[in-house]
Amino acid sequence: MAKNQEPEIARRITENQAEIERLQQSGEVNEQTIAELNKQIEANRQRISNKLLVGTRCFVKLQEMESASDMTAEERQCLIDYFAQLRPKRWQEWERTYNSLTPSQYVFLILQDDLHYDDDTIAHILDVKPASLRTLRSRIKGRER
């Protein structure tokens, strides 16, 4: 299942910021605790930044019609996370329309619905046979709510 992970990381950042504020306002200022919370905030921001950078690179690769067959599972997830930020309305539409698509299925939708590539181009990018696209399309259709 491809789930956009940024909201969870962003939620943790917000919680840590709220805890720092609470500690400062209550007078329970513990410099070590605040330093640790700030360290966690920075680490989470860095995680988001790194994931989106990788996702951007993968998206550009698709735009340039380069093969995606060598993308790792982590790179595909970064691409999906990036796409969810890039096209939030389309992402929300897919989330409402489909139950638990795989990363490969989301990559297919990006190629088909966002980049508007024809089947031959998608098959080339994914390094699959056209018949495999029909199967992939059918499986996606089967996950409609």
mmCIF file of all heavy atoms in Angstrom, residues 61-101:
data_model
loop_
_atom_site.group_PDB
_atom_site.id
_atom_site.type_symbol
_atom_site.label_atom_id
_atom_site.label_comp_id
_atom_site.label_asym_id
_atom_site.label_seq_id
_atom_site.Cartn_x
_atom_site.Cartn_y
_atom_site.Cartn_z
ATOM 1 N N LYS A 61 12.566 12.185 -13.970
ATOM 2 C CA LYS A 61 12.936 11.014 -14.762
ATOM 3 C C LYS A 61 11.734 10.539 -15.598
ATOM 4 O O LYS A 61 11.882 10.227 -16.785
ATOM 5 C CB LYS A 61 13.405 9.910 -13.810
ATOM 6 C CG LYS A 61 14.050 8.735 -14.437
ATOM 7 C CD LYS A 61 14.578 7.802 -13.333
ATOM 8 C CE LYS A 61 15.330 6.655 -13.935
ATOM 9 N NZ LYS A 61 15.907 5.774 -12.929
ATOM 10 N N LEU A 62 10.558 10.505 -14.985
ATOM 11 C CA LEU A 62 9.350 10.113 -15.716
ATOM 12 C C LEU A 62 8.999 11.139 -16.792
ATOM 13 O O LEU A 62 8.618 10.770 -17.913
ATOM 14 C CB LEU A 62 8.161 9.946 -14.762
ATOM 15 C CG LEU A 62 8.253 8.845 -13.715
ATOM 16 C CD1 LEU A 62 6.975 8.803 -12.882
ATOM 17 C CD2 LEU A 62 8.548 7.500 -14.336
ATOM 18 N N GLN A 63 9.116 12.409 -16.451
ATOM 19 C CA GLN A 63 8.826 13.459 -17.437
ATOM 20 C C GLN A 63 9.744 13.355 -18.649
ATOM 21 O O GLN A 63 9.335 13.659 -19.768
ATOM 22 C CB GLN A 63 8.983 14.848 -16.805
ATOM 23 C CG GLN A 63 7.880 15.216 -15.859
ATOM 24 C CD GLN A 63 8.113 16.570 -15.229
ATOM 25 O OE1 GLN A 63 9.202 16.855 -14.722
ATOM 26 N NE2 GLN A 63 7.091 17.404 -15.239
ATOM 27 N N GLU A 64 10.967 12.934 -18.419
ATOM 28 C CA GLU A 64 11.938 12.796 -19.514
ATOM 29 C C GLU A 64 11.846 11.431 -20.187
ATOM 30 O O GLU A 64 12.685 11.076 -21.006
ATOM 31 C CB GLU A 64 13.348 13.058 -18.981
ATOM 32 C CG GLU A 64 13.527 14.496 -18.540
ATOM 33 C CD GLU A 64 14.869 14.788 -17.899
ATOM 34 O OE1 GLU A 64 15.654 13.847 -17.631
ATOM 35 O OE2 GLU A 64 15.127 15.980 -17.634
ATOM 36 N N MET A 65 10.816 10.663 -19.818
ATOM 37 C CA MET A 65 10.527 9.351 -20.396
ATOM 38 C C MET A 65 11.668 8.360 -20.226
ATOM 39 O O MET A 65 11.887 7.486 -21.052
ATOM 40 C CB MET A 65 10.127 9.473 -21.863
ATOM 41 C CG MET A 65 8.883 10.267 -22.074
ATOM 42 S SD MET A 65 8.444 10.292 -23.813
ATOM 43 C CE MET A 65 7.249 11.609 -23.836
ATOM 44 N N GLU A 66 12.398 8.493 -19.127
ATOM 45 C CA GLU A 66 13.458 7.540 -18.814
ATOM 46 C C GLU A 66 12.854 6.329 -18.114
ATOM 47 O O GLU A 66 11.803 6.418 -17.486
ATOM 48 C CB GLU A 66 14.498 8.187 -17.897
ATOM 49 C CG GLU A 66 15.280 9.304 -18.551
ATOM 50 C CD GLU A 66 16.294 9.931 -17.612
ATOM 51 O OE1 GLU A 66 16.690 9.276 -16.622
ATOM 52 O OE2 GLU A 66 16.681 11.082 -17.870
ATOM 53 N N SER A 67 13.529 5.216 -18.188
ATOM 54 C CA SER A 67 13.042 3.979 -17.589
ATOM 55 C C SER A 67 12.880 4.124 -16.076
ATOM 56 O O SER A 67 13.729 4.692 -15.396
ATOM 57 C CB SER A 67 14.012 2.835 -17.880
ATOM 58 O OG SER A 67 13.586 1.666 -17.218
ATOM 59 N N ALA A 68 11.776 3.588 -15.592
ATOM 60 C CA ALA A 68 11.523 3.566 -14.156
ATOM 61 C C ALA A 68 11.686 2.161 -13.597
ATOM 62 O O ALA A 68 11.447 1.929 -12.411
ATOM 63 C CB ALA A 68 10.118 4.079 -13.870
ATOM 64 N N SER A 69 12.104 1.239 -14.444
ATOM 65 C CA SER A 69 12.201 -0.156 -14.014
ATOM 66 C C SER A 69 13.277 -0.367 -12.954
ATOM 67 O O SER A 69 13.215 -1.333 -12.197
ATOM 68 C CB SER A 69 12.465 -1.069 -15.210
ATOM 69 O OG SER A 69 13.712 -0.761 -15.796
ATOM 70 N N ASP A 70 14.237 0.549 -12.866
ATOM 71 C CA ASP A 70 15.306 0.397 -11.881
ATOM 72 C C ASP A 70 15.048 1.169 -10.584
ATOM 73 O O ASP A 70 15.891 1.182 -9.700
ATOM 74 C CB ASP A 70 16.647 0.819 -12.482
ATOM 75 C CG ASP A 70 16.678 2.288 -12.880
ATOM 76 O OD1 ASP A 70 15.598 2.908 -13.006
ATOM 77 O OD2 ASP A 70 17.781 2.823 -13.079
ATOM 78 N N MET A 71 13.874 1.791 -10.466
ATOM 79 C CA MET A 71 13.546 2.519 -9.234
ATOM 80 C C MET A 71 13.375 1.532 -8.086
ATOM 81 O O MET A 71 12.698 0.521 -8.230
ATOM 82 C CB MET A 71 12.236 3.297 -9.386
ATOM 83 C CG MET A 71 12.361 4.664 -9.942
ATOM 84 S SD MET A 71 10.747 5.500 -9.788
ATOM 85 C CE MET A 71 10.855 6.574 -11.198
ATOM 86 N N THR A 72 13.987 1.847 -6.972
ATOM 87 C CA THR A 72 13.817 1.011 -5.783
ATOM 88 C C THR A 72 12.432 1.270 -5.181
ATOM 89 O O THR A 72 11.765 2.252 -5.523
ATOM 90 C CB THR A 72 14.885 1.340 -4.727
ATOM 91 O OG1 THR A 72 14.666 2.686 -4.263
ATOM 92 C CG2 THR A 72 16.290 1.186 -5.285
ATOM 93 N N ALA A 73 12.042 0.415 -4.268
ATOM 94 C CA ALA A 73 10.762 0.596 -3.574
ATOM 95 C C ALA A 73 10.754 1.931 -2.827
ATOM 96 O O ALA A 73 9.749 2.648 -2.830
ATOM 97 C CB ALA A 73 10.511 -0.559 -2.611
ATOM 98 N N GLU A 74 11.878 2.276 -2.227
ATOM 99 C CA GLU A 74 11.964 3.547 -1.492
ATOM 100 C C GLU A 74 11.833 4.740 -2.447
ATOM 101 O O GLU A 74 11.156 5.718 -2.136
ATOM 102 C CB GLU A 74 13.286 3.624 -0.731
ATOM 103 C CG GLU A 74 13.405 4.863 0.124
ATOM 104 C CD GLU A 74 14.688 4.903 0.942
ATOM 105 O OE1 GLU A 74 15.302 3.841 1.160
ATOM 106 O OE2 GLU A 74 15.061 6.014 1.352
ATOM 107 N N GLU A 75 12.459 4.654 -3.609
ATOM 108 C CA GLU A 75 12.353 5.739 -4.588
ATOM 109 C C GLU A 75 10.912 5.878 -5.094
ATOM 110 O O GLU A 75 10.425 6.995 -5.260
ATOM 111 C CB GLU A 75 13.288 5.491 -5.766
ATOM 112 C CG GLU A 75 14.744 5.693 -5.425
ATOM 113 C CD GLU A 75 15.689 5.254 -6.528
ATOM 114 O OE1 GLU A 75 15.386 4.274 -7.255
ATOM 115 O OE2 GLU A 75 16.753 5.911 -6.666
ATOM 116 N N ARG A 76 10.246 4.759 -5.318
ATOM 117 C CA ARG A 76 8.838 4.825 -5.742
ATOM 118 C C ARG A 76 7.988 5.492 -4.670
ATOM 119 O O ARG A 76 7.116 6.293 -4.968
ATOM 120 C CB ARG A 76 8.297 3.433 -6.062
ATOM 121 C CG ARG A 76 8.821 2.882 -7.360
ATOM 122 C CD ARG A 76 8.316 1.465 -7.616
ATOM 123 N NE ARG A 76 9.024 0.886 -8.727
ATOM 124 C CZ ARG A 76 8.506 0.705 -9.933
ATOM 125 N NH1 ARG A 76 7.258 1.031 -10.172
ATOM 126 N NH2 ARG A 76 9.221 0.183 -10.913
ATOM 127 N N GLN A 77 8.247 5.148 -3.409
ATOM 128 C CA GLN A 77 7.483 5.771 -2.327
ATOM 129 C C GLN A 77 7.773 7.268 -2.256
ATOM 130 O O GLN A 77 6.872 8.069 -2.045
ATOM 131 C CB GLN A 77 7.793 5.101 -0.984
ATOM 132 C CG GLN A 77 6.910 5.605 0.151
ATOM 133 C CD GLN A 77 5.442 5.375 -0.100
ATOM 134 O OE1 GLN A 77 5.020 4.252 -0.361
ATOM 135 N NE2 GLN A 77 4.637 6.425 -0.039
ATOM 136 N N CYS A 78 9.031 7.658 -2.456
ATOM 137 C CA CYS A 78 9.380 9.082 -2.472
ATOM 138 C C CYS A 78 8.671 9.789 -3.622
ATOM 139 O O CYS A 78 8.189 10.919 -3.461
ATOM 140 C CB CYS A 78 10.893 9.265 -2.592
ATOM 141 S SG CYS A 78 11.813 8.795 -1.111
ATOM 142 N N LEU A 79 8.606 9.141 -4.781
ATOM 143 C CA LEU A 79 7.886 9.701 -5.926
ATOM 144 C C LEU A 79 6.423 9.920 -5.572
ATOM 145 O O LEU A 79 5.850 10.981 -5.852
ATOM 146 C CB LEU A 79 8.009 8.769 -7.137
ATOM 147 C CG LEU A 79 7.100 9.081 -8.335
ATOM 148 C CD1 LEU A 79 7.443 10.439 -8.943
ATOM 149 C CD2 LEU A 79 7.200 7.973 -9.370
ATOM 150 N N ILE A 80 5.818 8.942 -4.928
ATOM 151 C CA ILE A 80 4.407 9.046 -4.548
ATOM 152 C C ILE A 80 4.213 10.168 -3.536
ATOM 153 O O ILE A 80 3.281 10.968 -3.647
ATOM 154 C CB ILE A 80 3.913 7.689 -4.006
ATOM 155 C CG1 ILE A 80 3.871 6.676 -5.154
ATOM 156 C CG2 ILE A 80 2.555 7.810 -3.332
ATOM 157 C CD1 ILE A 80 3.819 5.243 -4.714
ATOM 158 N N ASP A 81 5.090 10.258 -2.545
ATOM 159 C CA ASP A 81 5.005 11.332 -1.550
ATOM 160 C C ASP A 81 5.163 12.700 -2.214
ATOM 161 O O ASP A 81 4.455 13.651 -1.878
ATOM 162 C CB ASP A 81 6.058 11.148 -0.459
ATOM 163 C CG ASP A 81 5.800 9.934 0.417
ATOM 164 O OD1 ASP A 81 4.659 9.436 0.454
ATOM 165 O OD2 ASP A 81 6.763 9.476 1.072
ATOM 166 N N TYR A 82 6.106 12.797 -3.137
ATOM 167 C CA TYR A 82 6.312 14.048 -3.869
ATOM 168 C C TYR A 82 5.066 14.392 -4.682
ATOM 169 O O TYR A 82 4.589 15.524 -4.668
ATOM 170 C CB TYR A 82 7.532 13.939 -4.781
ATOM 171 C CG TYR A 82 7.656 15.093 -5.755
ATOM 172 C CD1 TYR A 82 8.079 16.344 -5.313
ATOM 173 C CD2 TYR A 82 7.319 14.937 -7.099
ATOM 174 C CE1 TYR A 82 8.176 17.408 -6.191
ATOM 175 C CE2 TYR A 82 7.418 16.004 -7.975
ATOM 176 C CZ TYR A 82 7.846 17.234 -7.520
ATOM 177 O OH TYR A 82 7.932 18.288 -8.394
ATOM 178 N N PHE A 83 4.535 13.400 -5.392
ATOM 179 C CA PHE A 83 3.360 13.645 -6.228
ATOM 180 C C PHE A 83 2.171 14.113 -5.386
ATOM 181 O O PHE A 83 1.428 15.003 -5.799
ATOM 182 C CB PHE A 83 2.978 12.386 -7.022
ATOM 183 C CG PHE A 83 1.866 12.633 -7.985
ATOM 184 C CD1 PHE A 83 2.122 13.203 -9.222
ATOM 185 C CD2 PHE A 83 0.560 12.326 -7.656
ATOM 186 C CE1 PHE A 83 1.089 13.473 -10.113
ATOM 187 C CE2 PHE A 83 -0.480 12.577 -8.537
ATOM 188 C CZ PHE A 83 -0.213 13.150 -9.766
ATOM 189 N N ALA A 84 2.002 13.530 -4.207
ATOM 190 C CA ALA A 84 0.901 13.932 -3.317
ATOM 191 C C ALA A 84 1.016 15.405 -2.932
ATOM 192 O O ALA A 84 -0.002 16.080 -2.743
ATOM 193 C CB ALA A 84 0.879 13.051 -2.073
ATOM 194 N N GLN A 85 2.251 15.913 -2.828
ATOM 195 C CA GLN A 85 2.465 17.331 -2.534
ATOM 196 C C GLN A 85 2.313 18.189 -3.785
ATOM 197 O O GLN A 85 1.806 19.304 -3.728
ATOM 198 C CB GLN A 85 3.865 17.539 -1.938
ATOM 199 C CG GLN A 85 4.108 16.798 -0.660
ATOM 200 C CD GLN A 85 3.187 17.247 0.446
ATOM 201 O OE1 GLN A 85 2.999 18.440 0.658
ATOM 202 N NE2 GLN A 85 2.598 16.310 1.152
ATOM 203 N N LEU A 86 2.762 17.651 -4.909
ATOM 204 C CA LEU A 86 2.728 18.383 -6.171
ATOM 205 C C LEU A 86 1.307 18.567 -6.693
ATOM 206 O O LEU A 86 0.945 19.644 -7.159
ATOM 207 C CB LEU A 86 3.566 17.634 -7.218
ATOM 208 C CG LEU A 86 3.662 18.239 -8.612
ATOM 209 C CD1 LEU A 86 4.449 19.548 -8.568
ATOM 210 C CD2 LEU A 86 4.317 17.242 -9.567
ATOM 211 N N ARG A 87 0.516 17.521 -6.631
ATOM 212 C CA ARG A 87 -0.849 17.530 -7.165
ATOM 213 C C ARG A 87 -1.826 17.036 -6.088
ATOM 214 O O ARG A 87 -2.396 15.955 -6.196
ATOM 215 C CB ARG A 87 -0.956 16.607 -8.373
ATOM 216 C CG ARG A 87 0.044 16.855 -9.463
ATOM 217 C CD ARG A 87 -0.508 17.781 -10.548
ATOM 218 N NE ARG A 87 0.280 17.674 -11.750
ATOM 219 C CZ ARG A 87 1.401 18.341 -11.982
ATOM 220 N NH1 ARG A 87 1.869 19.182 -11.076
ATOM 221 N NH2 ARG A 87 2.058 18.198 -13.118
ATOM 222 N N PRO A 88 -2.035 17.833 -5.042
ATOM 223 C CA PRO A 88 -2.867 17.356 -3.928
ATOM 224 C C PRO A 88 -4.302 17.017 -4.316
ATOM 225 O O PRO A 88 -4.865 16.056 -3.803
ATOM 226 C CB PRO A 88 -2.810 18.499 -2.910
ATOM 227 C CG PRO A 88 -2.347 19.692 -3.674
ATOM 228 C CD PRO A 88 -1.528 19.179 -4.813
ATOM 229 N N LYS A 89 -4.889 17.765 -5.226
ATOM 230 C CA LYS A 89 -6.277 17.470 -5.615
ATOM 231 C C LYS A 89 -6.369 16.125 -6.329
ATOM 232 O O LYS A 89 -7.276 15.334 -6.060
ATOM 233 C CB LYS A 89 -6.855 18.580 -6.491
ATOM 234 C CG LYS A 89 -7.125 19.844 -5.708
ATOM 235 C CD LYS A 89 -7.742 20.903 -6.575
ATOM 236 C CE LYS A 89 -7.966 22.163 -5.753
ATOM 237 N NZ LYS A 89 -8.536 23.236 -6.550
ATOM 238 N N ARG A 90 -5.455 15.884 -7.244
ATOM 239 C CA ARG A 90 -5.464 14.598 -7.949
ATOM 240 C C ARG A 90 -5.192 13.466 -6.967
ATOM 241 O O ARG A 90 -5.818 12.419 -7.018
ATOM 242 C CB ARG A 90 -4.432 14.593 -9.069
ATOM 243 C CG ARG A 90 -4.425 13.248 -9.808
ATOM 244 C CD ARG A 90 -3.862 13.321 -11.175
ATOM 245 N NE ARG A 90 -4.778 14.054 -12.033
ATOM 246 C CZ ARG A 90 -4.395 14.766 -13.084
ATOM 247 N NH1 ARG A 90 -3.136 14.833 -13.417
ATOM 248 N NH2 ARG A 90 -5.260 15.399 -13.824
ATOM 249 N N TRP A 91 -4.222 13.671 -6.057
ATOM 250 C CA TRP A 91 -3.917 12.648 -5.063
ATOM 251 C C TRP A 91 -5.150 12.340 -4.219
ATOM 252 O O TRP A 91 -5.483 11.176 -3.987
ATOM 253 C CB TRP A 91 -2.761 13.100 -4.163
ATOM 254 C CG TRP A 91 -2.480 12.106 -3.090
ATOM 255 C CD1 TRP A 91 -2.844 12.180 -1.774
ATOM 256 C CD2 TRP A 91 -1.806 10.851 -3.239
ATOM 257 N NE1 TRP A 91 -2.430 11.061 -1.105
ATOM 258 C CE2 TRP A 91 -1.800 10.235 -1.984
ATOM 259 C CE3 TRP A 91 -1.218 10.209 -4.316
ATOM 260 C CZ2 TRP A 91 -1.221 8.992 -1.774
ATOM 261 C CZ3 TRP A 91 -0.636 8.971 -4.104
ATOM 262 C CH2 TRP A 91 -0.643 8.376 -2.849
ATOM 263 N N GLN A 92 -5.842 13.359 -3.752
ATOM 264 C CA GLN A 92 -7.043 13.158 -2.936
ATOM 265 C C GLN A 92 -8.127 12.435 -3.732
ATOM 266 O O GLN A 92 -8.836 11.575 -3.195
ATOM 267 C CB GLN A 92 -7.557 14.495 -2.411
ATOM 268 C CG GLN A 92 -6.658 15.095 -1.360
ATOM 269 C CD GLN A 92 -6.959 16.553 -1.066
ATOM 270 O OE1 GLN A 92 -7.846 17.158 -1.665
ATOM 271 N NE2 GLN A 92 -6.211 17.128 -0.141
ATOM 272 N N GLU A 93 -8.229 12.757 -5.000
ATOM 273 C CA GLU A 93 -9.195 12.072 -5.861
ATOM 274 C C GLU A 93 -8.865 10.581 -5.934
ATOM 275 O O GLU A 93 -9.747 9.730 -5.821
ATOM 276 C CB GLU A 93 -9.168 12.691 -7.261
ATOM 277 C CG GLU A 93 -10.047 12.003 -8.263
ATOM 278 C CD GLU A 93 -9.836 12.551 -9.668
ATOM 279 O OE1 GLU A 93 -9.578 13.764 -9.818
ATOM 280 O OE2 GLU A 93 -9.923 11.754 -10.621
ATOM 281 N N TRP A 94 -7.595 10.259 -6.132
ATOM 282 C CA TRP A 94 -7.188 8.851 -6.184
ATOM 283 C C TRP A 94 -7.441 8.168 -4.845
ATOM 284 O O TRP A 94 -7.881 7.027 -4.809
ATOM 285 C CB TRP A 94 -5.717 8.713 -6.559
ATOM 286 C CG TRP A 94 -5.403 9.079 -7.979
ATOM 287 C CD1 TRP A 94 -6.296 9.268 -9.010
ATOM 288 C CD2 TRP A 94 -4.119 9.305 -8.540
ATOM 289 N NE1 TRP A 94 -5.626 9.594 -10.165
ATOM 290 C CE2 TRP A 94 -4.291 9.621 -9.903
ATOM 291 C CE3 TRP A 94 -2.833 9.278 -8.021
ATOM 292 C CZ2 TRP A 94 -3.224 9.901 -10.748
ATOM 293 C CZ3 TRP A 94 -1.772 9.554 -8.863
ATOM 294 C CH2 TRP A 94 -1.977 9.862 -10.218
ATOM 295 N N GLU A 95 -7.165 8.843 -3.759
ATOM 296 C CA GLU A 95 -7.399 8.275 -2.437
ATOM 297 C C GLU A 95 -8.882 7.977 -2.211
ATOM 298 O O GLU A 95 -9.222 6.994 -1.560
ATOM 299 C CB GLU A 95 -6.884 9.221 -1.344
ATOM 300 C CG GLU A 95 -5.375 9.316 -1.287
ATOM 301 C CD GLU A 95 -4.741 8.147 -0.580
ATOM 302 O OE1 GLU A 95 -4.662 8.176 0.659
ATOM 303 O OE2 GLU A 95 -4.335 7.187 -1.275
ATOM 304 N N ARG A 96 -9.761 8.846 -2.736
ATOM 305 C CA ARG A 96 -11.207 8.621 -2.617
ATOM 306 C C ARG A 96 -11.691 7.523 -3.561
ATOM 307 O O ARG A 96 -12.618 6.793 -3.254
ATOM 308 C CB ARG A 96 -11.982 9.908 -2.930
ATOM 309 C CG ARG A 96 -12.020 10.924 -1.812
ATOM 310 C CD ARG A 96 -13.019 12.036 -2.100
ATOM 311 N NE ARG A 96 -12.844 12.655 -3.409
ATOM 312 C CZ ARG A 96 -12.025 13.671 -3.680
ATOM 313 N NH1 ARG A 96 -11.298 14.186 -2.719
ATOM 314 N NH2 ARG A 96 -11.942 14.178 -4.887
ATOM 315 N N THR A 97 -11.062 7.429 -4.731
ATOM 316 C CA THR A 97 -11.535 6.527 -5.774
ATOM 317 C C THR A 97 -11.083 5.091 -5.573
ATOM 318 O O THR A 97 -11.827 4.151 -5.878
ATOM 319 C CB THR A 97 -11.045 7.018 -7.157
ATOM 320 O OG1 THR A 97 -11.495 8.361 -7.350
ATOM 321 C CG2 THR A 97 -11.597 6.159 -8.275
ATOM 322 N N TYR A 98 -9.875 4.891 -5.054
ATOM 323 C CA TYR A 98 -9.282 3.559 -5.002
ATOM 324 C C TYR A 98 -8.971 3.120 -3.577
ATOM 325 O O TYR A 98 -8.630 3.931 -2.733
ATOM 326 C CB TYR A 98 -7.984 3.508 -5.814
ATOM 327 C CG TYR A 98 -8.170 3.927 -7.245
ATOM 328 C CD1 TYR A 98 -7.702 5.161 -7.693
ATOM 329 C CD2 TYR A 98 -8.811 3.098 -8.159
ATOM 330 C CE1 TYR A 98 -7.878 5.553 -9.014
ATOM 331 C CE2 TYR A 98 -8.995 3.481 -9.481
ATOM 332 C CZ TYR A 98 -8.530 4.712 -9.901
ATOM 333 O OH TYR A 98 -8.709 5.097 -11.202
ATOM 334 N N ASN A 99 -9.043 1.816 -3.360
ATOM 335 C CA ASN A 99 -8.644 1.193 -2.101
ATOM 336 C C ASN A 99 -7.215 0.689 -2.216
ATOM 337 O O ASN A 99 -6.935 -0.163 -3.050
ATOM 338 C CB ASN A 99 -9.537 -0.018 -1.792
ATOM 339 C CG ASN A 99 -10.809 0.358 -1.096
ATOM 340 O OD1 ASN A 99 -10.811 1.240 -0.256
ATOM 341 N ND2 ASN A 99 -11.889 -0.311 -1.448
ATOM 342 N N SER A 100 -6.314 1.203 -1.405
ATOM 343 C CA SER A 100 -4.979 0.645 -1.210
ATOM 344 C C SER A 100 -4.246 0.222 -2.480
ATOM 345 O O SER A 100 -3.973 -0.952 -2.679
ATOM 346 C CB SER A 100 -5.063 -0.562 -0.275
ATOM 347 O OG SER A 100 -5.675 -0.218 0.925
ATOM 348 N N LEU A 101 -3.911 1.175 -3.310
ATOM 349 C CA LEU A 101 -3.115 0.855 -4.494
ATOM 350 C C LEU A 101 -1.659 0.616 -4.097
ATOM 351 O O LEU A 101 -1.176 1.151 -3.104
ATOM 352 C CB LEU A 101 -3.190 1.993 -5.515
ATOM 353 C CG LEU A 101 -4.554 2.274 -6.134
ATOM 354 C CD1 LEU A 101 -4.440 3.424 -7.136
ATOM 355 C CD2 LEU A 101 -5.132 1.050 -6.802
#
